[in-house]
Amino acid sequence: MPDRPAGWTIDRRFPFVRRLHAPDDAPPPLTPAPGDPAPRSYTPSTGSLSRRMILIAAAWITLLLAGGGFALDRVLTGAITRNFDGQLEYLLTSLIVSAEIDPDGNVAFNRQLSDQRFLEPYSGLYWQVSGRGFDPFPSRSLWDRRLDIGRQHSDLELHTYDSQQLDQKLRVVERDVRIPGSPVRWRFQVAETRDVLDAQIDALRRTLVRSFLLLAAGLILMAALQTWYGLLPLRKLRQAIQRLRSGETSRIEGAMPAEIAPMVEELNALVAHNDKQAEEARRHAGNLAHALKTPLTVIMNAATARADDLPATVVREARTMRRQVDHHLARARAVGRRGSAHSRAQVWPSVESVERAVSRLYPHVRIDVDGAKDLVAHIERQDLDEIMGNLVENAAKYGGGSVFVTVQAEAGFVEIMVEDDGMGIPEPDRIRIFDRGVRLDSGKPGTGLGLAIVRDVAEIYDGTVSLEESEDLGGLLVRLRLPAAG
């Protein structure tokens, strides 16, 4: 392999393009040899999407179940407590209804309460009747103990409360009543230990906690399964992209959910776009190699034969090769820039700058420009200048001394017409003239690449160029149409 000059490197994507770097710069990164796996660069991760979704679902489920469990606990605990208090109230009412005053002014009962626990000492169920000036009258279950009376408050209405008495935690229901025939206001009290009530509440809460834990586990598991199943198309898409990258398939196939299908379409469009660009790059390389082969062959033959006109031949063929390289580089630049949605160029300033440049090259040619001055085309300014330069220079070179350029808007396009007063081009040759290297007038210098460049660059931006006969000047009319930029 011949040595390359110092400071030059070969771009492996476009072998015919060389890039120059200063010798004292840092050396370029090593490029893997053909066949070696290319190093992969991984995008920084912000965490698992599945884990994030499951954690959010788990937190929301926990919050809802905790709130719902607390509310349900309050409701059911209140219901159990009210039922417990209702039984005590029933006993208190039965006690009050059966009370009467005996001849000595004491409270007596015309029937005894049926609950056997009132007869068993410290059974946990008690009653007591108290009146100012009288000793308390207790149930036998109180034995030698008495319930606290609490004279500091009045209980004309039913009063229910918890109290720590008799070495037990009691639930007390009391009420002050005036019994007919007695001037004293008697306080009737019924008390029962909270052990049964607390046991019922504890059993309820254990059931609630276990049920809600089981429900939470089931819901979180369901959320995990839903996340796994919901993200399954993304995993399939990743596998499809891996197959696409490895060359097993040329595009992503198969039905996808409605939310992912547009992304798959864009990916397929991107792959098609990249394939098209790669094909264009290969075609450019082949065209350039083919275009340079003939001049190189001519130079090699002249050098081998030691021809007398070798210097002139080298200059002539080198000029041809330079035009070929310029043509393909211009097209490659346009292909690289056409993907930009921000490609915009003011048409009038480009036309004016080209008019000034061509006027200096052809001072005997009169160039007139007219039309709208505020139009913007969807094209890079550099490419627009190159197109206009080729068209106006051709009109000045092959015309009779007058060139007229018109700029106007036409149905979403910017239309530029370049007319001259030359001999024109016969209609059968107006298609063939766009081929590279075709020249109808060989008496003037050139390589026949100007209109080919114009057509190629215009088509890259979805524009068109056509040749017609000028009605005003009688020569050639070139009609260039480029998409208008909104």
Side-chain angles (χ1 to χ4, degrees), residues 301-323:
N301 291 337
T304 303
R306 300 181 184 277
D308 296 336
D309 60 344
L310 178 59
T313 300
V314 171
V315 171
R316 184 183 66 251
E317 299 303 327
R319 185 181 295 113
T320 300
M321 288 189 291
R322 185 183 66 182
R323 292 296 301 269

Side-chain angles (χ1 to χ4, degrees), residues 54-220:
I54 293 174
L55 288 178
I56 292 175
W60 185 241
I61 290 171
T62 302
L63 179 63
L64 290 181
L65 291 183
F70 178 78
L72 188 59
D73 174 77
R74 293 294 88 196
V75 171
L76 296 180
T77 300
I80 293 175
T81 303
R82 286 192 299 272
N83 180 66
F84 188 84
D85 293 344
Q87 296 178 6
L88 294 180
E89 184 180 354
Y90 171 77
L91 293 175
L92 180 65
T93 302
S94 300
L95 187 65
I96 294 174
V97 169
S98 63
E100 58 184 19
I101 301 299
D102 62 11
D104 297 328
N106 293 318
V107 175
F109 297 97
N110 52 32
R111 68 175 184 271
Q112 296 293 327
L113 297 180
S114 59
D115 198 316
Q116 185 66 26
R117 290 177 294 170
F118 285 122
L119 302 178
E120 299 175 3
Y122 306 116
S123 62
L125 182 61
Y126 317 100
W127 61 260
Q128 177 176 290
V129 180
S130 308
R132 189 178 299 276
F134 292 88
D135 293 332
F137 183 40
S139 64
R140 183 173 296 181
S141 58
L142 279 173
W143 198 246
D144 59 346
R145 309 286 293 274
R146 299 293 179 266
L147 296 175
D148 294 337
I149 300 176
R151 295 291 185 181
Q152 66 275 11
H153 63 276
S154 177
D155 291 330
L156 296 178
E157 300 294 335
L158 186 67
H159 183 206
T160 304
Y161 59 93
D162 294 324
S163 178
Q164 186 70 34
Q165 303 181 44
L166 310 176
D167 300 326
Q168 295 176 332
K169 189 175 181 180
L170 302 177
R171 184 73 172 171
V172 182
V173 178
E174 62 185 23
R175 186 175 182 180
D176 291 347
V177 177
R178 289 189 181 274
I179 302 176
S182 173
V184 179
R185 191 171 66 182
W186 300 88
R187 174 163 295 180
F188 288 79
Q189 295 175 298
V190 175
E192 184 176 357
T193 179
R194 282 187 58 99
D195 292 345
V196 176
L197 176 60
D198 292 339
Q200 292 177 348
I201 293 176
D202 290 342
L204 168 68
R205 287 177 175 170
R206 284 194 300 270
T207 303
L208 284 178
V209 169
R210 292 171 182 172
S211 301
F212 275 67
L213 286 177
L214 182 61
L215 179 61
L219 290 177
I220 292 175

Side-chain angles (χ1 to χ4, degrees), residues 389-469:
N390 276 293
L391 294 181
V392 177
E393 183 180 0
N394 283 346
K397 181 190 300 184
Y398 299 105
S402 295
V403 177
F404 189 52
V405 181
T406 306
V407 181
Q408 64 184 20
E410 183 69 25
F413 285 84
V414 176
E415 190 173 77
I416 304 173
M417 294 177 290
V418 180
E419 305 174 68
D420 63 62
D421 59 345
M423 297 299 295
I425 297 178
E427 187 171 352
D429 297 326
R430 292 177 184 172
I431 301 298
R432 187 171 62 90
I433 192 63
F434 285 106
D435 295 336
R436 289 189 296 275
V438 175
R439 299 174 60 205
L440 301 182
D441 185 359
S442 59
K444 295 184 180 181
T447 58
L449 293 175
L451 287 179
I453 293 176
V454 170
R455 181 197 59 184
D456 290 347
V457 176
E459 289 179 352
I460 286 173
Y461 289 99
D462 297 326
T464 60
V465 59
S466 59
L467 304 182
E468 305 172 14
E469 182 179 354

